[in-house]
Structures are given as C-alpha cells and as structure tokens.
Amino acid sequence: MEKETKAQRVERLKREKDGLDIMDDIRHYCQSGEPVDADTIDRLKWYGMYTHNQHSSPEGRQFFMMRVKVPTGNLTIEQVETIAGISREFARNTADITVRQTIQLHWIEFANVCTVLDRLQAAGLTTQNASGDCPRSIVTCPVAGHAHDELLDVSGIVREVDRYFQGNHEFSNLPRKFKMGISACGRFCTGHEVQDLSFAAHQLQGGRVAFGVHVGGGLGSNQRFATNLGSVDAQQILPVAIACAALFREEGKRDNRSRARLGHLLEDMGADAFRQALQDRSGVEFLPATSPALPDPRQRQHVGIEDAKETGYQHIGTAIVSGRITGEGLATVARIAREAGAATIAFTGWQNLILTRVPRQHVARATQQLEAAGLSVADHSLSARAIACTGLEFCKFAISETKERQAQLIKALQARFPDFKEPLSISLSGCPNGCSHPNVVDLGFVGWKVKVDGELKEGFVLHYGGRLQGDGSRFAVRTNEKIDADQLSEFVIDLIEKYRASEKPSLPDYLQEVYS
Ligand code: HEM
Ligand code: SF4
C-alpha cells in the first residue's frame, strides 16, 4: 500500500475524531501517566498544544507548549495573575506574548495539563481553537473601545465572532488554519493585509463607517497580500465571516497542506467568483472596495503613553523584546497595573503589552515602576518592533535560536546607538515558515544553516524592506547574505554604521542600494 501523504494523514485524523472532542483523551493521559499517542498529539493542536523539539526534551521526556487564547487581546488583572501563577508553577516561569495577541507557555508536563486547563477555565480562559485547522485567535486593536482615534468600538463584534466559532464543531475541520482580524483603529494596527479574512474600518463620504473585506492574506510559504473584495457594515461582519469559513470548509483544497490556505482557494476561484459566493451565502451585498489612506507602516501600533478615549485616562504601552515577558514579569505587571488602577492588560500584535485606561494621576508612577522592572515605556524605537518566533529553544522546525538572540541584538544596538530614534522593525524567525513576520518588517532574519570554517552552524539569511501599507504593501527581498548567528549583533551594528555614513534617508533605502 502506498504511504499516506501528510495531507491524507491529517484529513484522516480529523475525520476519525474531531480535534475538539479529545477532552476525555486528555484526562485519560493526565491521570494514567502513559505517553500520549501520536494521533492525540496531532489533535492536541485544537487545544493549543504542541510537543517540544528534541532539544528541549531532556532524556526523552515529553514536554508541551501551550497557547492561551486572549479574545480581544485583553485580560483582566486577575487573569494575568492566574497565567503568571501557572507559568511559575508548571511552565518554568516561561510566558511569551505572540503576534496573534496570545500567550504561549512552555515546559508543561502532560500530568499537569488538566490542572492547568481547569485553572484557566476557572479564570474564564481557554486554549481551545488556539491552533489546529480551525478559526484561530482573532487579531484586533488592543485598545478597541478606548482608542482616542478609532472609528468604532469593535470589541463587542470581536467577542461575538470569537464566541460563534469557539468550540463550534461545524468549523473545527477546515482544510487548514483560518486566521481572522477585525479592527476600526485609526492606526490600522492589526495588519489586515496578511490575515486569511479581515475587516478593517474606514469612513465613507458622509461619515458612514464601513469595513473593507480583505481575503486570502498569508505569510511564510503562503505569502500573499489579501484581496480587498469590497465593504460591509459592522453588523454584517459575522454573517460574512461565517459564509467565508463555510466556503473554505467546503471548497478549500485538502490534498496538499501547502496549497490549502484560503488564499489558494481565492486564487483558484478568482476574486469575482469568490465575492459572489460570499454574497450568495451571507445574503450581504458588498459595497465597492475603497482604499483608505493608511498611516506610515512604522506607526501602525500602540506604544508608549497614549490618551485613552475617556478623559483623564491614558494607556501605557511597554516594549517587550521578543514578547518574552515570563511568569515573574506578568506578576510584576499585574501588581503595577492593580496599584495604578489600570482597567486591563492588553497584548499587541508586536508582542508588546499595554496597561489600559490608567487614571492620569497614576501614569507617571506606574511608568517609573515598569521601567524599574526593566519594561521600557519611553525608549521604544528599537525594542517595540523587535519580534521573534519560538525558535530552536522549543520548535521542531527551527534551525536557529531566536528570542535570546533578539534580546542580545537589541541590547547591543541600544548600547552602540543610544541616539538612534528611527523606528526600525526587526524580526527573527527560526526557519523559513516565518511565524514572526520576517517578510513584512524592515529587517527580517530567517533561520538558515551557514558554513563557518567548514562546519554547518546556526545562522540567518537577511531579508529586508518588507512593509504593510494597503495597496502599496510589499514583501521583503531575500538577499544571499548569510550570517553566522553568533555574529548577528556585529553584522547589524556594521550595517547601521554604514547606513548612517551614507546619504540615504532610511535604512531600507540604504539596504536597497547595497543589495539590489
Ligand atoms: C511546532 C511548530 C510551530 C510553532 C511552535 C509555531 C508557533 C507559532 C507562533 C507562536 C506564532 C505566533 C507568532 C509569535 O508571536 O511567535 C505563529 C505564527 C505563524 N506561524 Fe507558526 N508555529 C509552528 C509551525 C508553523 C508552520 C509549520 C508554519 C507554516 C507552514 C507556520 C506558519 C506560521 C505563520 C505564517 C504565522 C504568522 C501568523 C500570523 O501572525 O498571522 N508555523 N506560529
Ligand atoms: S518560524 Fe519556524 S522556527 Fe519559528 S516558530 Fe515558526 S516553525 Fe518554528
């Protein structure tokens, strides 16, 4: 008999047992202490869990990473304390903020999984739908409802869409993952260009707010900017999202995992037929597509101190390099947030963190406390845009370590260029899957083996010049520049020195001249 392909195996597993129906299996393995069987390991993704790589499985012991969903990107202070406690008790103090505004924990032993899931549930949190072939965490503006420059409060819509798909068996067997975004933020902070399906608000003539329906975006090997199919009203977002997920479920390709994302279906059907199918299924008539003016791509996020919509309140954004906050860090942030009277703690798509709606009279002290804890508020030109994927520390696909290297790199750059104020985005991805968006930032370093003195070592390939800017978006250019991972800081310092000695107006301009 011919060997099953990867796609055939995944499709068979999904048919045999739905990824959402494994709670009994999870409880069985928690209690029995038996090693988890291979099929259940694959289905654990529907509960946000992956096994560690060999690198982080000492003596062959099995450890798991676990992704906790954070609907709207906002947690209460109590929820942050719960996660901090779990991190310290069961996850060796790990806690990483991800670009989809979730929290990822590591080093979880299966015997503890049920306790962890129960504690999360008691705090109103879940890992369900955090990964797997289903609708994932919806990215949105972390200060939705309280941003001074937003067109509309979308937090209620995000919750409604999330609740609809959460644990919904009708949509738990999609051909592939399905990533949505919804935002009405004046900064367009959610990167609507690279979601499978996203709704980004703009104002029509006369003041009416409509949402552009952007379909088929993707990153990594599915790199594609979403196609703008038209506009809909706020109350039409849920029916269009349901129609889109159903179309994907029924028509998406299931025979090849690398051609199975929504963008591939859109390409196969053509934009007009796809739009028509969405309209027919949802009963929503789309308005014509418009291209609103977008802010500078480097300003499309919330950092530092910003006024909230409510008079007398401010948001305090702090830059977390690589998103590595730790359990200890979360506990510290929760304490500061509580003392300052913050409403929530929010995670951003740049792996950063915001204390939302802090009464103005407490802002200076809270900022001081955050800075004293090593969480930068004021100096964020480099650190707020420094992101990294899970990397070699835990991920099976990784070639190179990322999070620690990113931290070292930013430290080295801040020491060498204390006056550097150009907002520069730098992403480190451990392999070409590009989980940390290396192709839509200024400088992307993608894990690659490099030869040093005849030996293959951890390294990176330089990508540069990616930008998200609506119709003017472009993916980064991959160069042939291969860098020994241990020389990364020296390489970037040298690059910036040469750029500063040049006449070029920005680093991407300089790189274009050098590498084109
Ligand atoms: C065990 C393996 C994997 C792990 C642990 C992992 C982890 C993650 C995490 C944590 C994120 C959010 C980014 C962050 O902030 O770190 C992410 C995003 C992403 N992953 Fe992975 N990933 C894995 C495998 C893959 C594979 C195999 C692919 C492609 C075939 C992939 C493609 C992506 C892409 C394109 C994103 C960006 C999504 C977005 O932000 O919209 N990942 N992944
Ligand atoms: S980019 Fe590669 S190494 Fe990094 S988390 Fe994704 S799959 Fe793993």
Side-chain angles (χ1 to χ4, degrees):
M1 210 172 75
E2 265 184 49
K3 197 171 177 294
E4 255 184 338
T5 63
K6 170 107 197 286
Q8 285 166 343
R9 173 179 153 73
V10 177
E11 287 304 316
R12 176 176 58 77
L13 286 180
K14 291 190 290 188
R15 274 195 313 272
E16 285 173 2
K17 184 180 259 193
D18 194 290
L20 295 176
D21 291 340
I22 58 163
M23 263 326 286
D24 287 347
D25 301 322
I26 292 178
R27 298 228 176 259
H28 165 78
Y29 285 113
C30 281
Q31 281 153 17
S32 69
E34 293 166 18
V36 185
D37 73 275
D39 291 357
T40 303
I41 285 201
D42 278 342
R43 294 192 188 100
L44 283 175
K45 292 181 186 136
W46 274 255
Y47 281 82
M49 283 181 270
Y50 295 80
T51 45
H52 279 196
N53 58 15
Q54 285 184 332
H55 204 70
S56 46
S57 306
E59 294 146 27
R61 285 168 66 197
Q62 214 171 28
F63 290 94
F64 292 81
M65 24 191 160
M66 182 186 273
R67 208 173 287 166
V68 182
K69 270 183 69 177
V70 182
T72 79
N74 278 256
L75 293 174
T76 63
I77 295 169
E78 293 74 20
Q79 286 174 327
V80 172
E81 285 166 342
T82 298
I83 296 174
I86 291 171
S87 162
R88 289 192 286 187
E89 203 171 332
F90 301 112
R92 300 193 186 180
N93 195 33
T94 56
D96 296 331
I97 303 168
T98 77
V99 294
R100 294 199 71 77
Q101 300 169 281
T102 68
I103 276 272
Q104 195 160 288
L105 308 170
H106 301 277
W107 292 114
I108 309 242
E109 293 189 69
F110 210 84
N112 296 324
V113 161
C114 293
T115 311
V116 171
L117 292 180
D118 290 345
R119 279 203 205 168
L120 289 171
Q121 193 183 13
L125 294 166
T126 184
T127 64
Q128 201 185 46
N129 284 71
S131 51
D133 292 349
C134 56
R136 306 271 192 99
S137 298
I138 301 168
V139 289
T140 188
C141 171
V143 288
H146 310 282
H148 64 88
D149 58 352
E150 69 184 0
L151 292 174
L152 206 75
D153 174 5
V154 292
S155 59
I157 302 171
V158 174
R159 274 194 212 96
E160 187 188 17
V161 177
D162 180 64
R163 265 200 302 269
Y164 182 86
F165 287 109
Q166 175 73 50
N168 186 335
H169 283 77
E170 280 185 50
F171 297 96
S172 52
N173 176 0
L174 299 181
R176 202 72 168 76
K177 52 189 165 188
F178 183 61
K179 296 177 171 178
M180 285 184 277
I182 302 173
S183 126
C185 159
R187 310 249 173 112
F188 290 82
C189 71
T190 55
H192 58 274
E193 297 93 335
V194 289
Q195 310 300 326
D196 288 298
L197 170 66
S198 65
F199 300 89
H202 56 270
Q203 208 152 20
L204 302 175
Q205 268 185 349
R208 177 174 163 198
V209 174
F211 286 79
V213 182
H214 303 267
V215 178
L219 292 163
S221 49
N222 301 294
Q223 187 164 290
R224 182 183 187 282
F225 290 119
T227 305
N228 185 350
L229 292 183
S231 300
V232 299
D233 289 333
Q235 70 274 17
Q236 294 168 329
I237 288 177
L238 180 59
V240 171
I242 296 170
C244 190
L247 181 64
F248 184 40
R249 177 187 62 203
E250 283 145 39
E251 304 294 337
K253 301 278 167 287
R254 290 178 184 260
D255 56 358
N256 178 353
R257 303 268 306 158
S258 50
R259 292 226 13 109
R261 290 288 288 275
L262 189 70
H264 297 114
L265 178 62
L266 179 80
E267 293 282 341
D268 290 347
M269 288 178 67
D272 289 340
F274 198 101
R275 182 192 304 104
Q276 195 56 52
L278 282 189
Q279 294 190 128
D280 293 346
R281 282 171 179 261
S282 64
V284 172
E285 193 72 33
F286 288 17
L287 299 168
T290 53
S291 301
L294 300 184
D296 182 306
R298 294 158 174 214
Q299 307 305 335
R300 287 177 63 177
Q301 65 160 322
H302 303 270
V303 284
I305 298 171
E306 279 182 5
D307 285 340
K309 191 188 266 179
E310 297 83 355
T311 312
Y313 292 83
Q314 290 182 310
H315 307 303
I316 309 177
T318 168
I320 313 291
V321 173
S322 310
R324 180 138 284 182
I325 177 75
T326 75
E328 206 77 44
L330 285 175
T332 303
V333 168
R335 181 178 48 74
I336 297 170
R338 191 182 291 285
E339 276 175 30
T344 65
I345 293 167
F347 301 135
T348 80
W350 285 89
Q351 301 181 336
N352 291 326
L353 182 151
I354 302 173
L355 269 56
T356 75
R357 284 171 283 155
V358 177
R360 198 180 278 271
Q361 67 272 23
H362 300 315
V363 167
R365 188 173 143 76
T367 302
Q368 221 173 31
Q369 289 174 326
L370 288 166
E371 296 273 3
L375 303 171
S376 167
V377 176
D379 178 15
H380 50 66
S381 51
L382 289 163
S383 51
R385 296 164 187 83
I387 52 180
C389 76
T390 304
L392 189 61
E393 205 181 354
F394 304 111
C395 175
K396 282 181 198 141
F397 298 94
I399 295 166
S400 303
E401 197 282 325
T402 48
K403 296 228 183 234
E404 189 50 39
R405 285 218 166 84
Q406 176 69 286
Q408 287 167 4
L409 169 62
I410 296 302
K411 215 183 219 173
L413 293 179
Q414 285 170 333
R416 179 69 189 78
F417 306 110
D419 58 338
F420 192 87
K421 294 292 169 236
E422 193 178 322
L424 187 64
S425 48
I426 306 179
S427 162
L428 266 62
S429 266
C431 82
N433 282 331
C435 294
S436 57
H437 303 185
N439 285 334
V440 289
V441 294
D442 296 321
L443 284 177
F445 293 98
V446 175
W448 203 260
K449 286 272 185 222
V450 296
K451 217 172 213 176
V452 181
D453 299 330
E455 264 185 50
L456 281 178
K457 282 193 65 189
E458 276 179 57
F460 294 99
V461 174
L462 169 67
H463 295 216
Y464 75 91
R467 57 194 286 138
L468 290 182
Q469 200 164 30
D471 299 339
S473 297
R474 58 170 192 250
F475 287 114
V477 176
R478 182 191 186 279
T479 70
N480 286 323
E481 190 76 73
K482 307 219 170 53
I483 305 134
D484 174 353
D486 290 333
Q487 298 298 315
L488 184 65
S489 299
E490 289 75 4
F491 175 83
V492 182
I493 286 174
D494 184 54
L495 208 66
I496 293 182
E497 275 173 347
K498 288 186 177 139
Y499 151 58
R500 292 183 121 194
S502 78
E503 302 280 295
K504 292 291 166 191
S506 74
L507 184 64
D509 286 303
Y510 169 74
L511 290 165
Q512 176 140 19
E513 181 174 274
V514 175
Y515 289 105
S516 61

